[in-house]
Amino acid sequence: MIDDLLEPLIAFRRDIHAHPELGFCEHRTAGRIAEQLRALGLEVHEGIGTTGVVAVLRNGSSGRSIGLRADMDALPIHEQTNLPYASKMEGTFHGCGHDGHVAMLLGAAQHLTRSRNFDGTVNFFFQPAEEGLGGAREMVKEGLFDRFPCDRVFGLHNWPDLPAGTIATRPGPIMGAADKFEITLEGRGGHAAIPQDTPDAILASAALVQQLNSIVARRIAATSSAVLSVTQIHGGHAHNVIPAVVTIVGTVRTFDPKVQDVIEKAIRQITAGVALAHDLTANVDYDRYYPATINDDEAAQEALAAAATVGNAQLAPEPAFTSEDFAFMLQACKGAYIWLGQARPQGSVPLHNPHYDFNDDVLGLGVRLHVALVEQQLALA
């Protein structure tokens, strides 16, 4: 029974929502979490991966162990919800529900501390900087799984595309690898009225964008999946000047490292060709900042079985192209990433939208799912 926990957890979640903090700056958030965990009598470790918090709960004599992860950071977005507990930090906003993730994992720690219906060790990972900064990578680099060994690790994320009460995951890829490319085309610059004297980086950028958008269609098999999107073009400052430099920025999302290799190689080849054709020099900065999130097959099936005991469990039919740095934890430890549906009957606001708010109605289900995973993985003899 967790009903008595829900009202305080909702209040805690809304306090975190009102005081959001960006990646690696979650000092207040981490402090409040550590305070709550210490009040439970747990072994608490702070400052892991800069601002990460780990709490350890042991029961019984088994050597088995499990890790449960919640991310803590907010987004650099101006909130537009007008809620009573809206962000008090201008330009910073919990627009991805990490405040809810924290509350759900904290609730699981509270319940498991008093129920003790398991045999083994539970490691509660409160992770910083998921939003593009690689907080999970930093925790793993600092020896997370050496210090806190886990037979399985699970991460839970709210999912507005699924109705509240539904829990979904899948074996294999569930979230995409995220790459960023930044291409610089450089000429000499000159007068727009005398284009014959000046290599035109603007014209070259237009040709390059068109060719980049042909890569997935013409270099990647139709049976594979990939996305390439150009998202920024910067160049020029006056109507009568051909700029010397144009920068093109975009993202690539894949699930297969071989497809990732093909796309990076194609971007470099095409850029070199366009630069040569337009008498320009070019540079490609290609950053593979998050790998694909790939679930262990057995762990995903175990997660679905645990989910079926508390909600409507579904096998996710396909992965999402959005990315998640829980991928770094899954590279170091077998486990699974799980989607918790939170769509309201009247409709749902997507993640990273300035009108988004975590649905407190699913907070209890998230607590129960965490508990079910522990009781399954560390079942009493």
Side-chain angles (χ1 to χ4, degrees), residues 46 51 122 134 140 154 161 228:
E46 297 181 77
T51 48
V122 186
V140 172
F154 295 94
D161 292 342
L228 185 155

Side-chain angles (χ1 to χ4, degrees), residues 136-157:
R137 176 179 54 216
E138 295 307 306
M139 293 184 82
V140 172
K141 283 170 60 177
E142 289 188 14
L144 181 71
F145 293 109
D146 296 324
R147 295 177 62 184
F148 311 101
C150 298
D151 299 316
R152 291 279 195 271
V153 64
F154 295 94
L156 180 61
H157 202 295

Side-chain angles (χ1 to χ4, degrees), residues 153-157 159 162 166-177 223 225 254-256 292-305 307 312-322 326 330 334-340 369 373:
V153 64
F154 295 94
L156 180 61
H157 202 295
W159 209 245
L162 293 171
T166 299
I167 302 165
T169 191
R170 66 193 310 275
I174 188 168
M175 303 284 276
T223 51
S225 298
T254 54
F255 302 112
D256 184 342
T293 304
I294 301 176
N295 287 341
D296 176 77
D297 289 357
E298 289 185 7
Q301 295 295 345
E302 291 163 2
L304 286 168
N312 175 25
Q314 292 184 2
L315 178 68
E318 58 188 15
F321 274 110
T322 46
F326 187 65
L330 290 181
K334 291 183 178 181
Y337 185 73
I338 307 165
W339 293 332
L340 176 71
L369 177 56
L373 288 166

